């Protein structure tokens, strides 16, 4: 690693920092954005059994709220169900906006890394070429070692920037798509809850 950092110049320091940060974000998001954590099937099925049998109470609402992000949304809706459909829907939307914000945490920085690391690589390329032309101007083309060093710096920073940016961009889009899918799942369960509570829909536990 140090063999690449030295010829790459000081621009390699922020590129390396971006690579470490991107790796940390990717690992953290893989752990956080698990479906069995965001919308665990067994918890949701148990919740619908409570609703079907009219066994929902404050203790079970607290358990649901603490179980998962989707549980928080459903619990928020049930806590305000007695105030009417509109209030119930508003409470669900408010809680859902907070949940979605948490699901998208760190994705903006990951997207920023995907955008800035190629620019850092380009900056390193420009600096390396400036050194090459300065060496040619003041020393001619006889000192091939210095010329090769400048060209090497330019190529290494470009390659390093792209090496960090490409995976960061791929994972950014992957996680955004994953969040979108989870949002759709949570939205469907929330709509189902509103319709069931207000008598517009029967509960099908098998399909829950």
């Amino acid at each position: 690693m140090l063999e690449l950092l030295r010829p790459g110049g000081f621009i390699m320091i922020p590129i390396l920092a971006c690579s470490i940060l991107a790796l940390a974000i990717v690992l953290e998001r893989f752990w956080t954005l698990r479906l069995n954590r965001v919308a665990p099937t067994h918890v949701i099925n148990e919740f619908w059994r409570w609703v079907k049998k009219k066994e929902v109470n404050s203790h079970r609402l607290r358990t649901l709220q603490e179980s998962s992000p989707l549980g928080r949304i459903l619990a928020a809706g049930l806590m305000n169900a007695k105030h009417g459909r509109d209030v119930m829907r508003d409470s669900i939307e408010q809680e859902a906006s907070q949940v979605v914000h948490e699901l998208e945490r760190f994705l903006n920085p990951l997207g920023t890394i995907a955008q800035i690391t190629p620019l850092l690589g380009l900056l390193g390329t420009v600096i390396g070429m400036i050194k090459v032309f300065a060496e040619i101007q003041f020393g001619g083309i006889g000192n091939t070692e210095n010329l090769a060093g400048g060209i090497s710096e330019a190529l290494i920073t470009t390659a390093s920037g792209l090496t960090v940016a490409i995976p960061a961009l791929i994972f950014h889009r992957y996680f955004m798509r994953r969040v979108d899918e989870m949002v759709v799942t949570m939205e469907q369960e929330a709509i189902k809850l509103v319709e069931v509570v207000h008598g517009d829909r029967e509960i099908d536990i098998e399909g829950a």
Side-chain angles (χ1 to χ4, degrees):
M1 180 64 71
L2 291 178
E3 293 179 357
L4 290 177
L5 287 176
R6 289 196 191 98
F10 71 92
I11 292 296
M12 288 296 295
I13 296 175
I15 292 178
L16 179 61
C18 286
S19 69
I20 295 173
L21 180 58
L23 179 60
I25 291 173
V26 168
L27 294 177
E28 190 276 339
R29 288 292 89 184
F30 263 122
W31 175 258
T32 301
L33 297 179
R34 292 171 294 143
L35 187 60
N36 62 357
R37 176 190 173 275
V38 176
T41 303
H42 67 282
V43 172
I44 304 307
N45 288 342
E46 186 177 20
F47 163 74
W48 285 118
R49 281 192 289 270
W50 293 344
V51 175
K52 178 76 172 180
K53 298 177 181 179
K54 301 185 184 302
E55 296 176 349
V56 178
N57 52 44
S58 58
H59 173 71
R60 285 179 169 171
L61 277 179
R62 195 177 307 112
T63 301
L64 178 67
Q65 193 174 32
E66 296 172 354
S67 67
S68 63
L70 176 56
R72 285 170 50 190
I73 295 173
L74 298 178
L78 275 180
M79 288 176 182
N80 293 277
K82 61 184 178 181
H83 299 298
R85 181 190 294 268
D86 292 337
V87 174
M88 183 180 181
R89 189 183 296 273
D90 289 342
S91 63
I92 287 175
E93 289 177 355
Q94 290 175 7
E95 189 66 34
S97 65
Q98 295 180 12
V99 168
V100 172
H101 178 72
E102 293 173 5
L103 294 179
E104 293 179 346
R105 183 181 296 169
F106 304 131
L107 294 187
N108 279 340
L110 185 61
T112 301
I113 289 172
Q115 292 179 340
I116 67 171
T117 45
L119 298 179
L120 290 172
L122 179 60
L123 177 60
T125 299
V126 172
I127 293 173
M129 295 310 297
I130 288 174
K131 290 181 180 179
V132 170
F133 286 114
E135 184 65 30
I136 293 175
Q137 181 179 359
F138 295 107
I141 59 174
N143 193 340
T144 56
E145 183 177 347
N146 288 341
L147 294 178
I151 295 172
S152 175
E153 179 177 338
L155 296 177
I156 287 175
T157 55
T158 301
S160 299
L162 292 175
T163 300
V164 175
I166 293 172
L169 180 60
I170 291 173
F171 281 115
H172 178 262
R173 293 189 175 182
Y174 169 74
F175 288 130
M176 290 300 294
R177 176 63 178 171
R178 197 165 185 171
V179 169
D180 288 342
E181 292 174 351
M182 290 179 175
V183 168
V184 170
T185 299
M186 292 188 291
E187 184 180 52
Q188 290 174 344
E189 293 294 333
I191 292 173
K192 179 180 176 181
L193 176 63
V194 174
E195 293 176 347
V196 167
V197 168
H198 292 280
D200 299 330
R201 180 172 179 174
E202 295 294 328
I203 301 177
D204 179 11
I205 296 179
E206 294 297 327

